[in-house]
């Protein structure tokens, strides 16, 4: 269906602009007039406008937490200023800090809102937004506390984005070390070894083990260099498929929970996230059953996600919340005890908020400690591996003189 860009005056005499879908120019004018607006300019928006491939919308891909936090924070500030939702979205489409994709998504939300749909419905219809966001916004719209809900949601998303950014920045140096070491090994395997291996062959002497291993790997890469990228692509596609996730990811994630250090880290992250979303949804007046189901979708560990989804089904049968969650065997005792106190006192959302703060702080502290330890440990490991390879190759090169004398 053609899209038209327009400018019009509303009933208050305020000039506004936007986009609308209609079968024809006259149909677009009729739609604008039915909204009690006076159009002064309208033109068809060509769909063949060029968009760079790296800026194109991937449809189902969710927005990163940094862009979600930016969108939610700016929207909360504008709603607090008591601006209409369509005007808030119109301002957000001009946000210079937003990525092009976020601005296009905001424009699509604006189109739905100007056609009469509520903001929560527009958010729920777009796959870039997680389900809990649209549900929170819907609760805020129903209770008249949309600005407060958006403010709490923005704070949560900002903390989530900050934690991820901290982890990524801490892993930059180790990643550079790994890439540099792989580059050194590649140069040794593709340049140096092919030059010295014929000498061992002519002398009928078996080269050192490291030299033989690197040579074998180099030959395999040279022989199957066409197949390797295809295999990597196939693995990535299989990893993203739902069948793979249900068949492999859940057992793998469950096994990760039993590892000494990583398991504790994952448990703290998932517990804090689950408690935070539960608290936000319950505090906004969302029913318990729907709260559990929506909160389960926010978890990234498939074992946790499956367990919380099953808990929601058991609550539907009339079981207590805390007793049901305890059956999963994944949530820490502190979570269950504080949740039980909150359930008995009628302040479950408040207690869950406290639980979220405890586990989010514990997760942040542990991540900081681990990222500080990763760099020196990884440096020693990589240095040892690369050093052993270099020493072995140099020993082989120095032994060439002995081979020449034989």
């Amino acid at each position: 269906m053609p899209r038209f860009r327009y400018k019009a005056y509303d009933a208050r005499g305020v000039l506004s602009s936007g986009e609308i879908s209609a079968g024809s120019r006259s149909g677009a004018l009729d739609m604008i007039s039915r909204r009690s607006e006076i159009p002064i300019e309208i033109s068809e928006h060509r769909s063949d406008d060029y968009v760079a491939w790296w800026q194109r919308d991937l449809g189902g891909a969710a927005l990163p937490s940094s862009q979600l936090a930016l969108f939610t924070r700016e929207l909360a500030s504008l709603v607090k200023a008591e601006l209409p939702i369509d005007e808030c979205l119109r301002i957000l489409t001009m946000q210079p800090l937003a990525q092009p994709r976020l601005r296009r998504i905001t424009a699509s939300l604006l189109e739905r809102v100007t056609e009469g749909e509520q903001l929560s419905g527009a958010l729920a219809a777009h796959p870039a937004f997680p389900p809990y966001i649209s549900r929170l916004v819907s609760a805020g719209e129903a209770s008249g506390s949309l600005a407060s809900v958006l403010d709490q949601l923005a704070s949560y998303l900002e903390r989530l984005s900050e934690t991820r950014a901290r982890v990524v920045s801490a892993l930059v140096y180790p990643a550079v070390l790994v890439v540099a070491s792989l580059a050194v090994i590649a140069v040794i395997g593709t340049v140096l070894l092919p030059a010295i291996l014929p000498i061992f062959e002519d002398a009928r002497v078996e080269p050192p083990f490291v030299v033989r291993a690197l040579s074998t790997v180099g030959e395999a890469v040279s022989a199957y260099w066409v197949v390797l990228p295809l295999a990597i692509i196939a693995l990535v596609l299989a990893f993203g498929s739902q069948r793979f996730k249900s068949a492999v990811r859940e057992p793998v994630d469950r096994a990760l929970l039993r590892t000494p250090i990583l398991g504790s880290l994952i448990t703290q992250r998932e517990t804090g996230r689950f408690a935070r979303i539960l608290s936000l949804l319950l505090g906004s007046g969302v029913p318990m059953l729907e709260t559990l189901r929506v909160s389960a979708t926010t978890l990234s560990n498939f074992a946790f996600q499956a367990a919380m989804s099953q808990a929601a089904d058991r609550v539907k049968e009339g079981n207590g919340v805390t007793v049901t969650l305890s059956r999963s065997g994944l949530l820490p005792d502190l979570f269950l005890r504080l949740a039980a106190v909150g359930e008995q006192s009628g302040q479950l959302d408040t207690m869950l908020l406290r639980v979220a703060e405890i586990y989010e702080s514990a997760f942040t502290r542990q991540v900081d400690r681990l990222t500080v330890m990763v760099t020196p440990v990884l440096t020693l490991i990589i240095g040892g591996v690369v050093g052993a390879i270099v020493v072995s190759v140099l020993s082989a090169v120095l032994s060439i003189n002995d081979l020449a004398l034989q």
Side-chain angles (χ1 to χ4, degrees):
M1 182 176 293
R3 293 170 59 84
F4 295 87
R5 289 177 175 170
Y6 70 91
K7 292 182 180 180
Y9 286 103
D10 59 16
R12 298 173 299 173
V14 178
L15 180 63
S16 61
S17 61
E19 294 184 6
I20 195 171
S21 300
S24 62
R25 179 184 176 88
S26 60
L29 290 171
D30 290 340
M31 293 177 65
I32 297 172
S33 299
R34 284 198 296 269
R35 295 203 297 255
S36 300
E37 295 181 346
I38 303 175
I40 61 172
E41 180 182 327
I42 187 169
S43 61
E44 185 175 355
H45 174 47
R46 300 291 180 182
S47 59
D48 56 352
D49 292 344
Y50 176 76
V51 178
W53 65 268
W54 62 85
Q55 296 179 348
R56 293 175 185 171
D57 196 345
L58 299 180
L63 282 169
S65 56
S66 59
Q67 290 296 296
L68 282 175
L70 174 64
F71 173 83
T72 310
R73 176 59 66 193
E74 294 295 328
L75 184 59
S77 301
L78 294 171
V79 171
K80 282 183 179 179
E82 299 183 353
L83 294 175
I85 294 297
D86 58 338
E87 186 64 25
C88 295
L89 294 174
R90 192 170 290 112
I91 293 174
L92 287 177
T93 58
M94 299 180 289
Q95 168 60 260
L97 297 179
Q99 295 178 354
R101 182 181 175 226
L102 177 57
R103 290 200 292 268
R104 290 193 299 273
I105 291 174
T106 306
S108 68
L109 297 178
L110 174 61
E111 179 185 351
R112 286 178 172 272
V113 170
T114 53
E115 290 175 355
E117 191 170 0
Q118 285 190 319
L119 177 61
S120 57
L123 291 170
H126 206 293
F129 296 93
Y132 70 91
I133 291 183
S134 60
R135 198 60 192 88
L136 280 169
V137 171
S138 176
E141 290 172 338
S143 62
S145 58
L146 181 58
S148 175
V149 169
L150 288 172
D151 187 63
Q152 296 179 54
L153 179 59
S155 299
Y156 163 71
L157 292 171
E158 286 168 351
R159 284 193 297 270
L160 181 63
S161 177
E162 181 182 354
T163 302
R164 288 182 177 177
R166 185 182 305 171
V167 173
V168 170
S169 62
L171 294 178
V172 168
Y173 180 68
V176 172
L177 286 178
V178 172
V179 172
S181 63
L182 292 177
V184 170
I185 295 173
V187 170
I188 293 174
T190 58
V191 177
L192 185 58
L193 291 185
I196 65 174
L197 281 176
I199 299 176
F200 288 94
E201 295 175 358
D202 293 341
R204 297 180 181 179
V205 176
E206 188 175 0
F209 171 77
V210 175
V211 174
R212 294 199 311 272
L214 287 177
S215 177
T216 302
V217 172
E219 291 174 357
V221 172
S222 300
Y224 301 103
W225 66 272
V226 177
V227 180
L228 287 176
L230 298 177
I232 293 173
I233 293 174
L235 286 175
V236 171
L237 294 177
F239 188 79
S241 67
Q242 190 61 38
R243 181 177 297 180
F244 179 89
K245 291 178 179 179
S246 58
V248 179
R249 280 289 301 277
E250 184 175 341
V252 170
D253 285 353
R254 193 173 295 278
L256 289 176
L257 291 174
R258 292 192 290 267
T259 57
I261 298 177
L262 187 60
S264 174
L265 198 65
I266 294 174
T267 299
Q268 290 174 358
R269 180 195 63 188
E270 299 297 83
T271 302
R273 181 180 300 179
F274 185 64
R276 174 70 64 175
I277 300 301
L278 275 178
S279 175
L280 288 175
L281 291 171
L282 289 175
S284 301
V286 180
M288 174 58 72
L289 181 59
E290 187 175 356
T291 293
L292 288 172
R293 288 175 174 171
V294 173
S295 299
T297 63
T298 67
L299 303 176
S300 54
N301 183 277
F302 274 68
F304 256 93
Q305 189 178 117
M308 297 307 106
S309 297
Q310 293 171 5
D313 295 336
R314 286 193 290 266
V315 169
K316 183 180 180 181
E317 298 172 357
N319 298 318
V321 177
T322 306
V323 175
T324 301
L325 292 176
S326 65
R327 293 178 183 175
S328 66
L330 299 178
L331 293 170
D333 291 338
L334 179 60
F335 176 98
L336 298 173
R337 290 176 183 176
L338 292 180
V341 171
E343 190 175 9
Q344 294 172 2
S345 62
Q347 297 180 343
L348 183 57
D349 58 329
T350 303
M351 297 306 295
L352 287 173
L353 180 61
R354 177 59 183 155
V355 171
E357 293 172 349
I358 292 173
Y359 283 99
E360 286 171 354
S361 299
F363 173 74
T364 302
R365 288 195 301 270
Q366 191 166 353
V367 166
D368 290 339
R369 286 196 296 266
L370 289 176
T371 50
V372 169
M373 295 172 57
V374 161
T375 299
V377 171
L378 192 59
T379 302
L380 292 175
I381 294 175
I382 292 176
V385 172
V386 175
I389 293 174
V390 171
V391 168
S392 298
V393 173
L394 288 178
S395 299
V397 171
L398 293 176
S399 66
I400 292 176
N401 292 331
D402 298 335
L403 295 177
L405 297 176
Q406 293 180 2

